[in-house]
Amino acid sequence: MPRFSIIVPSHGVAGRLSQALDSVLGQSFGDLELIPVCDAPDAPAAAVAAAYAERDCRVTPVDSPPSAGLSGARNAGMRAATGAYVLFLDGDDLLMPGALAALDARLTETADVDVLYAEHERAPWWEGEPTNPAAPLLAQAPKGAFAPDRFPELTGVQLPAWGAAYLRAFLTEHGLVFPDSHFTDLGWGGLTTLAAGRIAVLRQVVVRHRLRRQGSRLNLPGPHQHALLDQVELVLARAAAEKLPAERTRALFDQLFAYVLKTASRPERLSSGHRAFFRRAGRLYRAHRPVGHRAPGGSLGVQHRLLASGAYTAFRALRGANQRAAKSVEGLPRPRLLRTRLRYALDLRRPLDPGLAVFSAYWGRGYACNPAAIHAKARELAPHIRPVFLVEADQAPAMPKDVEYAVIGSRRYWEVLARATYLINNANFAEGVVKRRGSVHLQTQHGTPLKTMGVDQSTYPVVAAQTGSYTKLLARVDRWDFNLSSNRHSTQMWERAFPGSYEHLEYGYPRNDVYYTASAEDVVRVRRELGVPDGATAVLYAPTHRDHHTGFEAGLDLEAFCAAAGDDVVVLLRAHYFYDRGRAARGRGRVIDVTAHRSSEDVCLAADALVTDYSSIMFDYANLDRPIVVYADDWDVYQETRGVYFDLMTEPPGPVVRTPEELARVFRDGSYAGPEAKALRAAFRKRFCQFDDGRAAERVVRRVLLGEPPEAIPPVIPLAERIPAPAAATLARS
C-alpha cells in the first residue's frame, strides 16, 4: 500500500495538466500513486494522462463524466485509491518540491492523525507575489496532534480540499465523500473536520494554487449560487445531529455565514432569485444560530441582524450603493484622428450588420492564411455573408480582383469594424476595436506552437521586451469567442498562452485544406509559376525568425548546399513573413527566393522536401507526407532565448542535422527520405496532423457563420484515410 494517493481532476485544464503531474512525480518522496481523473478516454487530458501511465507505473488514470462535476471526479479518484493517505490536487496547480516528504515526516510525528492541514500559496496567474492565506489561522493551532474542540476556529470550511492530507481509513469509516453540486469544498471541509477525532497542522506550503485568469467559476453569476446554501445546510445539519456544544459551532456558524453574506450582498452573482436566496439564508440562520451567539460589530454585524430578521429591503438598501457597477467607455474607440474617432463612436451606436464579416491576416499583409481560406469557403457555403478583407495600403494592389477590401486606418476600415457581426483574424485586431454585444470574434491562429507564445513568453527577456504589455494582449484575447486549433497539442498550449473564456474549435486549419484537395495539375502549375525546372528536386528552405537577430539571416550557404546535395537539387528560399516586404520573387542560380509569394501553401505544394529549423511550417508541411529535415545548428540558443513547448530533437518530423555538411549528406545519400525518416514523420503526423483533413474551412463556416450546432459539423476524416496532394516526384514516375 503506497503512503499517498494523489487525485488530480483534469476537466478544462489539459494545457497545464502535465505541469501538475510532473510536480507530483518529481517529488523526492516516491511512495505514492497518482490518479489523474479524465472526462473520458478520448478527452483532451486523457492522452496526457495515458502518456504518463506508459512511462510510470505509479500513474493510474480513471474516468469521470463532466456531468459529475468536480465532486464526481474526486469521488471517482477516491474509489480507485489504495494509499494510506489521500491528497487532492487541481489539474492546474502544483505540488511544491519536498511537499510529500514534509507531509510524511509530520504524519509520523503526529502518529497518523485523521486530517493534516497544511499551508498553501495562492499565486497570481502569471505575475505578482503569491500569498499564504492559511498561515494566520494555522499559526494559532496547538503544536502537536489535537482534538478539534481544542481549536474550534479550525472548522475546515475556510480551507480548500487540496490543502490537507486525509487518512483513507478515516474517510471510509465515516463514509465521507464530496457532496454533489457546486461549492463542494465547503461541504467537504466542514464534514471532514466534524467527523475527525485527531487533527494536526503542517506550517509549510504544500500546494501552489495558480489562480485562473478567468477567476473562479464559483464567482460567476447564475443559479448555481443557490447551491451555496445547500452546502451550508448540509454542514450545519450534521453539526446539529452530532449535538456539538455551542462553543464548537460558533466559529463554524460565523464562517459559513460569512460566505452567505458575501453572496447575498453581491446581487450580480444571482442572476435571479435574489430574494429567495436571502429568505432561505435567513431561515437557516435562525434555525442553526448557536446558543449565546453574538453578531460581530460594524457593518457585518448589521448584515447579520438584517438577515436574522428577514429584512430583505433594508439589506439591499444598505449594500446597494457599493454594488453599482461603473460602466466606463475608457479605452474603447481609439482611432488616431478626432473626426474618425467620433464617426467610429457613432457607428458603434448603429445596429450590427448581420451579414457583414471582416477578415484580416498577418496584421493586414494581404489575402492569406486561414482567414483567406475561410473567406473563400464562405462565398461558397454562405453567399448571404458579405466578406470584407482588411489590408495595409501597400498590399491593396495585390488583392484578388473579386475580393472586397478596406484599407487599414481608413474611414471605411473603422466603419466595417464597428458594424460587422463576424470578425475573423489570424493575429489580433487593433487595440481600439470594440467587442460589441452580439458580435462573434474568431481567432484562427497561424501555426502550431513549438516556441512559447502569449503570456508564456514573459519569462524570456528577449522576446518579452518585444511583446509589450501583456495586459493589453489579454484585453485583445478577451474579445475572442472562438479559437481555432489543428491538433490537441495546440489546444493545450493556447489554453496556457492565451488564458480566456473562448471556445476551442478543434477543426483543423483551413489554409491546410489545399494539401488534400489540390490536384496533380495544381502541383505542376505552381512549380512552373515559381520557375522550378522539370525533373528537379525542389527543397523548400524555411527558417524561422530569431528574436535575438535584427534582420534576416539565411543561416546557410544555399548555393553551396545545392552543389553538395546533388545536381538535380534547387532551393526555394522562404524567409519568415516578418521579412516579406520589399522582396520580389527572384532566382539566383539554383536558389529561388519565394519569400514574397502570396501563398505559403502553394510553395509547399511545389516542394519535394522541406528543410527548416524551428518554423511552424513543418507542422503544416507534414500534411503532405513528404520528407522533412530539421537543421538545428543553434537549438540550445533558441531554447534559451525563446523557450519551447517540447523537445524537437527527441520528437522530430525527420532527420536532425546540425552542420551544412550533414545536411548535404542526407540529401546526397537519400536518407532524408529513407525508412527511418518515414517512421519519424509518421509519428509526427499522428500527433500534429490530427484535425487537418481538407474540410476545416467547411467546419468553420458551418459553425461560426451559419450557426450550425457542434453535432451537425462534419467529423474529422481519420489520418489513415486521407490522401495528400501528389508530389512532383510521384507525378514524374506516373
Side-chain angles (χ1 to χ4, degrees):
M1 177 173 59
R3 180 64 156 162
F4 296 109
S5 293
I6 298 139
I7 297 165
V8 187
S10 63
H11 179 71
V13 293
R16 289 190 169 187
L17 180 60
S18 61
Q19 296 171 312
L21 301 184
D22 286 341
S23 74
V24 175
L25 297 176
Q27 292 286 312
S28 58
F29 185 94
D31 187 11
L32 62 93
E33 65 176 356
L34 177 56
I35 307 175
V37 186
C38 307
D39 293 344
D42 60 346
V48 178
Y52 277 84
E54 290 179 5
R55 298 194 299 265
D56 196 317
C57 62
R58 296 175 297 173
V59 181
T60 308
V62 299
D63 297 334
S64 177
S67 58
L70 177 61
S71 58
R74 287 173 171 169
N75 290 334
M78 282 199 290
R79 289 191 294 271
T82 62
Y85 273 84
V86 174
L87 281 78
F88 302 96
L89 183 70
D90 283 356
D92 52 356
D93 291 345
L94 302 174
L95 199 61
M96 298 295 281
L100 293 185
L103 287 168
D104 175 67
R106 183 61 171 158
L107 288 169
T108 301
E109 180 184 351
T110 56
D112 291 341
V113 292
D114 294 330
V115 184
L116 175 63
Y117 295 101
E119 297 177 4
H120 65 272
E121 281 185 355
R122 289 171 60 87
W125 64 270
W126 70 280
E127 67 176 6
E129 292 297 321
T131 60
N132 187 340
L137 175 65
L138 300 187
Q140 304 172 47
K143 299 300 182 184
F146 56 91
D149 56 6
R150 286 186 57 199
F151 186 37
E153 290 78 10
L154 183 56
T155 65
V157 300
Q158 290 183 310
L159 301 173
W162 38 260
Y166 306 89
L167 184 66
R168 189 167 62 87
F170 154 71
L171 300 178
T172 303
E173 177 187 353
H174 293 273
L176 291 167
V177 295
F178 281 87
D180 289 338
S181 192
H182 301 275
F183 301 95
T184 187
D185 275 24
L186 187 146
W188 167 266
L191 296 178
T192 52
T193 309
L194 287 172
R198 295 174 67 250
I199 59 179
V201 302
L202 171 63
R203 295 298 314 284
Q204 180 175 326
V205 171
V206 168
V207 170
R208 172 171 291 163
H209 174 56
R210 297 193 287 184
L211 297 171
R212 291 170 56 88
R213 175 176 178 256
Q214 302 91 319
S216 171
R217 298 182 182 93
L218 298 181
N219 293 334
L220 297 175
H224 67 277
Q225 294 289 344
H226 292 266
L228 171 63
L229 298 181
D230 297 336
Q231 303 290 352
V232 169
E233 184 172 16
L234 177 66
V235 174
L236 290 175
R238 180 68 59 87
E242 297 193 9
K243 297 182 170 54
L244 295 180
E247 293 78 12
R248 174 88 184 272
T249 58
R250 283 172 189 156
L252 176 64
F253 181 87
D254 281 341
Q255 291 172 17
L256 288 171
F257 276 94
Y259 288 111
V260 171
L261 288 168
K262 186 176 182 180
T263 297
S265 63
R266 296 184 178 180
E268 69 275 7
R269 287 191 179 182
L270 295 160
S271 53
S272 63
H274 188 273
R275 185 184 295 270
F277 180 94
F278 185 88
R279 287 177 173 173
R280 183 185 174 196
R283 291 194 296 271
L284 288 174
Y285 189 100
R286 294 186 290 273
H288 294 281
R289 181 167 46 188
V291 175
H293 176 263
R294 297 181 62 183
S299 176
L300 182 59
V302 175
Q303 293 180 53
H304 270 258
R305 288 188 285 274
L306 293 175
L307 185 63
S309 62
Y312 174 73
T313 303
F315 182 88
R316 288 294 302 274
L318 174 69
R319 299 295 297 171
N322 295 329
Q323 298 303 323
R324 293 189 188 97
K327 300 209 172 181
S328 168
V329 294
E330 180 183 359
L332 293 187
R334 285 290 182 267
R336 293 180 181 178
L337 299 178
L338 177 59
R339 179 178 297 179
T340 305
R341 187 181 308 166
L342 292 174
R343 284 179 174 172
Y344 181 55
L346 289 174
D347 285 334
L348 288 172
R349 295 176 176 271
R350 298 169 63 190
L352 290 173
D353 183 340
L356 180 58
V358 168
F359 296 79
S360 184
Y362 299 117
W363 301 275
R365 277 180 165 82
Y367 190 75
C369 195
N370 292 317
I374 297 169
H375 176 279
K377 184 60 67 171
R379 294 202 293 184
E380 173 189 336
L381 298 180
H384 65 286
I385 296 293
R386 175 191 163 210
V388 178
F389 230 90
L390 306 180
V391 295
E392 291 285 0
D394 63 345
Q395 294 297 312
M399 290 293 291
K401 300 302 182 185
D402 59 344
V403 173
E404 184 179 354
Y405 66 88
V407 173
I408 291 176
S410 68
R411 167 74 185 93
R412 189 156 173 273
Y413 162 81
W414 288 106
E415 179 185 5
V416 295
L417 282 173
R419 300 290 311 284
T421 295
Y422 306 99
L423 295 97
I424 298 168
N425 206 330
N426 74 349
N428 259 312
F429 289 101
E431 184 181 332
V433 174
V434 177
K435 173 68 164 74
R436 296 185 62 181
R437 183 184 296 275
S439 66
V440 178
H441 284 238
L442 168 64
Q443 168 58 254
T444 74
Q445 302 293 348
H446 53 271
T448 289
L450 166 61
K451 59 190 176 187
T452 56
M453 303 292 289
V455 300
D456 286 340
Q457 299 171 357
S458 62
T459 56
Y460 296 91
V462 173
V463 66
Q466 301 171 14
T467 301
S469 168
Y470 287 100
T471 300
K472 292 180 179 179
L473 167 66
L474 291 166
R476 296 190 288 269
V477 170
D478 286 339
R479 297 186 302 218
W480 302 355
D481 294 293
F482 298 106
N483 183 49
L484 203 55
S485 176
S486 59
N487 49 64
R488 192 60 50 77
H489 162 80
S490 293
T491 304
Q492 296 170 7
M493 296 309 103
W494 299 145
E495 180 184 305
R496 281 177 48 180
F498 302 112
S501 56
Y502 52 83
E503 179 183 347
H504 290 287
L505 297 182
E506 293 183 321
Y507 288 173
Y509 279 164
R511 71 181 185 189
N512 292 343
D513 285 354
V514 69
Y515 297 141
Y516 297 99
T517 61
S519 65
E521 291 76 11
D522 293 323
V523 174
V524 172
R525 171 186 55 80
V526 174
R527 286 172 69 92
R528 288 176 178 168
E529 287 179 1
L530 297 178
V532 178
D534 291 341
T537 298
V539 177
L540 172 59
Y541 177 53
T544 192
H545 169 66
R546 300 295 196 278
D547 296 284
H548 53 288
H549 290 176
T550 57
F552 175 66
E553 298 178 16
L556 271 175
D557 183 335
L558 298 178
E559 288 285 359
F561 163 73
C562 290
D567 293 338
D568 65 334
V569 172
V570 298
V571 168
L572 303 176
L573 169 62
R574 190 168 182 85
H576 191 275
Y577 62 81
F578 284 175
Y579 311 109
D580 62 359
R581 300 297 177 91
R583 297 175 73 100
R586 60 188 184 273
R588 182 170 57 85
R590 291 161 64 183
V591 178
I592 305 171
D593 190 337
V594 295
T595 302
H597 191 278
R598 67 175 184 84
S599 171
S600 63
E601 292 76 47
D602 278 0
V603 172
C604 287
L605 284 173
D608 298 293
L610 169 68
V611 174
T612 186
D613 41 22
Y614 326 118
S615 170
S616 66
I617 199 172
M618 73 178 78
F619 302 97
D620 306 310
Y621 191 82
N623 283 285
L624 290 167
D625 198 17
R626 301 178 191 174
I628 303 173
V629 178
V630 176
Y631 180 61
D633 62 329
D634 63 345
W635 173 246
D636 294 338
V637 174
Y638 191 81
Q639 285 188 99
E640 187 69 25
T641 56
R642 180 59 194 253
V644 294
Y645 286 123
F646 68 94
D647 186 0
L648 182 64
M649 301 302 101
T650 61
E651 302 177 80
V656 176
V657 298
R658 296 182 181 272
T659 66
E661 294 74 22
E662 291 178 357
L663 178 61
R665 186 181 68 247
V666 297
F667 278 89
R668 195 167 53 246
D669 64 18
S671 59
Y672 78 101
E676 291 185 14
K678 187 174 182 179
L680 290 171
R681 189 167 69 251
F684 192 84
R685 295 183 75 231
K686 182 178 180 181
R687 181 179 180 187
F688 295 112
C689 298
Q690 278 179 286
F691 310 131
D692 289 335
D693 65 350
R695 301 189 68 180
E698 178 186 352
R699 282 189 281 270
V700 172
V701 170
R702 292 190 181 282
R703 179 70 190 283
V704 178
L705 299 181
L706 297 179
E708 295 183 6
E711 58 272 15
I713 304 304
V716 174
I717 299 170
L719 184 63
E721 298 176 18
R722 304 175 205 165
I723 302 175
T730 304
L731 297 175
R733 288 195 298 270
S734 300

